[in-house]
Amino acid sequence: MSLADGLPEDWKEVLHDAIHAPSFKELEKFVRKERQEHTVFPSEDDLFSAFRFTPYADVRVLLLGQDPYHGPGQAHGLAFSVQPGVPPPPSLVNMFKELQSDVGAPKPRDGSLIPWAKQGVFLLNTVLTVRQASPNSHAKHGWEPFTDAVIRAVSAKEDPVVFLLWGKPAQKKKALIDAKRHIVLEGVHPSPLSASKGFFGSKPYSTTNAALKKHGQHTIDWELPS
């Protein structure tokens, strides 16, 4: 069974070259071995959740994360999001604080960002798997060429997309984006280490909606069930 079997057909089409590249074959071997020997998050079923909830044609915002949460029950294939019923990790708590101050949305009842994904907010991590309790353990094993291809594919869309790049690792991906056609919003990462250095007060949600509106796109309803 190929790792790419879990990708929806529309994404398989635009990522054809990436999933047939030698680096992807190596990645498949690595992930298979890791799953045999360790606990790996997210589950195989959730690996491509972001692609399933946000079809290629529907992507209007791309929010780039790094690698998945590495605690039990947290990661479910959407950057920054946790499964319903799981307490939001610190970065997500900070995102919700800014959400409240930016657009007046009440505190969400849980940390699931599925409602955003269903509106065209593509929640992509640069690395899609992680070993339990071992952050960045799956970095530099082949996910990056794949997710770079994903970013390029979104950049190839004709309609303008808003790219939210928070923190230096995300901002390094700016070179993959056609900034003449799309809107790139760079900012501070919401992690506790940096949120007070410019994430709070940056109004990323209303700024994104203003950019979408300016380009004739539907805005995002950022308010989550409370």
Side-chain angles (χ1 to χ4, degrees), residues 22-53:
S23 61
F24 197 78
K25 300 285 174 247
E26 290 303 311
L27 170 68
E28 287 183 313
K29 282 186 217 159
F30 169 75
V31 173
R32 197 176 299 124
K33 189 168 187 284
E34 282 285 293
R35 287 204 189 274
Q36 285 165 355
E37 297 174 2
H38 305 278
T39 301
V40 170
F41 301 128
S43 70
E44 282 184 72
D45 289 347
D46 284 335
L47 179 60
F48 292 118
S49 292
F51 299 81
R52 216 167 43 244
F53 283 116

Coordinates of all heavy atoms in Angstrom, one line a residue, residues 22-53:
P22 N 11.6 10.0 -6.2 CA 12.3 9.1 -5.3 C 12.3 9.4 -3.8 O 12.2 8.5 -3.0 CB 13.8 9.2 -5.9 CG 13.6 9.7 -7.3 CD 12.3 10.5 -7.3
S23 N 12.3 10.7 -3.5 CA 12.2 11.1 -2.1 C 10.9 10.7 -1.4 O 10.9 10.3 -0.2 CB 12.3 12.7 -2.0 OG 11.3 13.3 -2.6
F24 N 9.9 10.6 -2.2 CA 8.6 10.1 -1.6 C 8.6 8.6 -1.3 O 8.1 8.1 -0.3 CB 7.4 10.5 -2.5 CG 6.1 10.4 -1.8 CD1 5.7 11.5 -1.0 CD2 5.2 9.3 -2.0 CE1 4.4 11.4 -0.3 CE2 4.0 9.3 -1.3 CZ 3.6 10.3 -0.5
K25 N 9.3 7.9 -2.2 CA 9.5 6.4 -2.0 C 10.3 6.2 -0.7 O 10.0 5.3 0.1 CB 10.2 5.8 -3.2 CG 9.4 6.0 -4.5 CD 8.2 5.1 -4.6 CE 7.4 5.3 -5.9 NZ 6.1 5.9 -5.7
E26 N 11.3 7.0 -0.5 CA 12.2 6.9 0.7 C 11.3 7.2 1.9 O 11.4 6.5 3.0 CB 13.4 7.8 0.6 CG 14.4 7.3 -0.4 CD 14.9 5.9 -0.1 OE1 15.3 5.6 1.0 OE2 14.9 5.1 -1.1
L27 N 10.5 8.2 1.8 CA 9.7 8.7 2.9 C 8.7 7.5 3.3 O 8.5 7.3 4.5 CB 8.9 9.9 2.5 CG 7.7 10.4 3.4 CD1 8.3 10.9 4.7 CD2 6.9 11.5 2.7
E28 N 8.1 6.9 2.3 CA 7.2 5.8 2.6 C 7.9 4.7 3.4 O 7.3 4.2 4.4 CB 6.7 5.2 1.2 CG 5.7 6.1 0.5 CD 5.2 5.4 -0.8 OE1 6.0 4.9 -1.6 OE2 3.9 5.4 -0.9
K29 N 9.1 4.3 3.0 CA 9.8 3.3 3.8 C 10.1 3.7 5.2 O 9.9 3.0 6.1 CB 11.2 3.0 3.1 CG 11.1 2.2 1.8 CD 12.5 1.9 1.4 CE 12.6 1.9 -0.2 NZ 13.9 2.1 -0.7
F30 N 10.5 5.0 5.3 CA 10.8 5.5 6.7 C 9.5 5.5 7.6 O 9.6 5.0 8.7 CB 11.3 7.0 6.5 CG 11.4 7.7 7.9 CD1 12.4 7.4 8.8 CD2 10.5 8.7 8.2 CE1 12.5 8.0 10.0 CE2 10.6 9.3 9.4 CZ 11.6 9.0 10.3
V31 N 8.4 6.0 7.0 CA 7.2 6.1 7.9 C 6.7 4.7 8.2 O 6.2 4.5 9.3 CB 6.1 7.0 7.1 CG1 4.8 6.9 7.9 CG2 6.5 8.4 7.0
R32 N 6.8 3.8 7.3 CA 6.3 2.4 7.5 C 7.1 1.8 8.7 O 6.6 1.2 9.6 CB 6.5 1.6 6.2 CG 5.7 0.3 6.2 CD 5.8 -0.5 4.9 NE 5.3 0.3 3.8 CZ 5.9 0.6 2.7 NH1 7.2 0.2 2.6 NH2 5.4 1.3 1.7
K33 N 8.4 2.0 8.6 CA 9.3 1.4 9.7 C 9.0 2.1 11.0 O 9.0 1.4 12.0 CB 10.8 1.7 9.2 CG 11.8 1.0 10.1 CD 13.2 1.0 9.4 CE 14.2 0.2 10.2 NZ 14.7 0.8 11.4
E34 N 8.9 3.4 11.0 CA 8.6 4.1 12.2 C 7.3 3.7 12.9 O 7.2 3.5 14.1 CB 8.5 5.6 12.0 CG 9.8 6.3 11.8 CD 10.5 6.5 13.1 OE1 10.1 7.3 14.0 OE2 11.6 5.9 13.3
R35 N 6.2 3.4 12.0 CA 4.9 3.0 12.6 C 5.1 1.5 13.1 O 4.4 1.2 14.1 CB 3.9 3.0 11.5 CG 3.4 4.4 11.1 CD 2.0 4.4 10.6 NE 1.6 5.8 10.0 CZ 1.0 6.7 10.8 NH1 0.8 6.6 12.0 NH2 0.7 7.9 10.2
Q36 N 6.0 0.7 12.6 CA 6.2 -0.6 13.1 C 6.9 -0.6 14.5 O 6.6 -1.4 15.3 CB 7.0 -1.5 12.1 CG 6.2 -1.9 10.9 CD 7.1 -2.4 9.7 OE1 8.3 -2.3 9.8 NE2 6.5 -2.9 8.7
E37 N 7.8 0.4 14.6 CA 8.7 0.3 15.8 C 8.3 1.3 16.9 O 8.7 1.2 18.0 CB 10.1 0.6 15.4 CG 10.6 -0.5 14.4 CD 12.0 -0.1 13.9 OE1 12.6 0.9 14.2 OE2 12.5 -0.9 13.1
H38 N 7.5 2.3 16.6 CA 7.1 3.4 17.5 C 5.7 3.8 17.4 O 5.0 3.4 16.4 CB 8.0 4.6 17.3 CG 9.5 4.4 17.3 ND1 10.2 4.3 18.4 CD2 10.3 4.2 16.2 CE1 11.5 4.0 18.1 NE2 11.6 4.0 16.8
T39 N 5.2 4.6 18.3 CA 3.9 5.2 18.2 C 4.1 6.5 17.4 O 5.0 7.3 17.7 CB 3.3 5.6 19.6 OG1 3.2 4.3 20.3 CG2 1.9 6.2 19.4
V40 N 3.4 6.6 16.3 CA 3.5 7.7 15.4 C 2.2 8.5 15.3 O 1.1 7.9 15.2 CB 4.0 7.3 14.0 CG1 3.9 8.4 12.9 CG2 5.4 6.7 14.1
F41 N 2.2 9.8 15.3 CA 1.0 10.6 15.1 C 1.1 11.4 13.9 O 2.2 11.8 13.4 CB 0.9 11.6 16.3 CG 0.8 10.9 17.7 CD1 1.6 11.3 18.7 CD2 -0.1 9.9 17.9 CE1 1.6 10.6 19.9 CE2 -0.2 9.3 19.1 CZ 0.6 9.6 20.1
P42 N 0.0 11.8 13.2 CA -1.4 11.3 13.5 C -1.5 9.8 13.0 O -0.6 9.3 12.4 CB -2.3 12.2 12.7 CG -1.4 12.7 11.6 CD 0.0 12.7 12.1
S43 N -2.7 9.3 13.2 CA -3.0 7.9 12.7 C -3.0 7.9 11.2 O -3.1 9.0 10.6 CB -4.3 7.4 13.2 OG -5.3 8.2 12.6
E44 N -2.8 6.7 10.6 CA -2.9 6.6 9.2 C -4.1 7.2 8.6 O -4.1 7.9 7.5 CB -2.7 5.2 8.7 CG -1.3 4.7 8.8 CD -1.1 3.3 8.3 OE1 -1.2 3.1 7.1 OE2 -0.9 2.4 9.1
D45 N -5.3 7.0 9.3 CA -6.5 7.5 8.8 C -6.6 9.0 8.8 O -7.3 9.6 8.0 CB -7.7 7.0 9.7 CG -7.9 5.5 9.5 OD1 -7.4 4.9 8.5 OD2 -8.6 4.9 10.4
D46 N -5.9 9.7 9.7 CA -5.9 11.1 9.8 C -4.8 11.8 9.1 O -4.7 13.1 9.0 CB -5.9 11.6 11.3 CG -7.2 11.3 12.0 OD1 -8.2 11.3 11.3 OD2 -7.2 11.2 13.2
L47 N -3.9 11.0 8.5 CA -2.6 11.6 7.9 C -2.9 12.8 6.9 O -2.3 13.8 7.0 CB -1.8 10.5 7.2 CG -0.5 11.0 6.5 CD1 0.4 11.6 7.5 CD2 0.1 9.8 5.8
F48 N -3.9 12.6 6.1 CA -4.2 13.6 5.0 C -5.5 14.3 5.3 O -6.2 14.7 4.3 CB -4.2 12.9 3.6 CG -2.8 12.5 3.2 CD1 -2.5 11.1 3.0 CD2 -1.7 13.4 3.1 CE1 -1.3 10.7 2.6 CE2 -0.5 12.9 2.7 CZ -0.2 11.6 2.4
S49 N -5.9 14.5 6.6 CA -7.1 15.2 6.9 C -7.2 16.5 6.2 O -8.3 16.9 5.8 CB -7.3 15.4 8.4 OG -7.4 14.1 9.1
A50 N -6.1 17.3 6.3 CA -6.2 18.7 5.7 C -6.6 18.6 4.2 O -7.3 19.5 3.8 CB -4.8 19.3 5.9
F51 N -6.1 17.6 3.5 CA -6.4 17.5 2.1 C -7.8 17.0 1.9 O -8.5 17.4 0.9 CB -5.4 16.5 1.5 CG -4.0 16.9 1.6 CD1 -3.3 16.7 2.8 CD2 -3.3 17.5 0.5 CE1 -1.9 17.0 2.9 CE2 -2.0 17.9 0.6 CZ -1.3 17.6 1.8
R52 N -8.3 16.3 2.8 CA -9.7 15.7 2.7 C -10.7 16.8 3.0 O -11.7 17.0 2.3 CB -9.9 14.6 3.7 CG -10.7 13.5 3.1 CD -10.7 12.2 3.9 NE -10.7 12.3 5.4 CZ -9.7 12.0 6.2 NH1 -8.6 11.5 5.6 NH2 -9.8 12.1 7.5
F53 N -10.5 17.6 4.0 CA -11.4 18.6 4.4 C -11.4 19.9 3.5 O -12.4 20.6 3.4 CB -11.2 19.1 5.9 CG -11.7 18.1 6.9 CD1 -10.8 17.5 7.8 CD2 -13.0 17.8 7.0 CE1 -11.3 16.6 8.7 CE2 -13.5 16.9 8.0 CZ -12.6 16.3 8.8

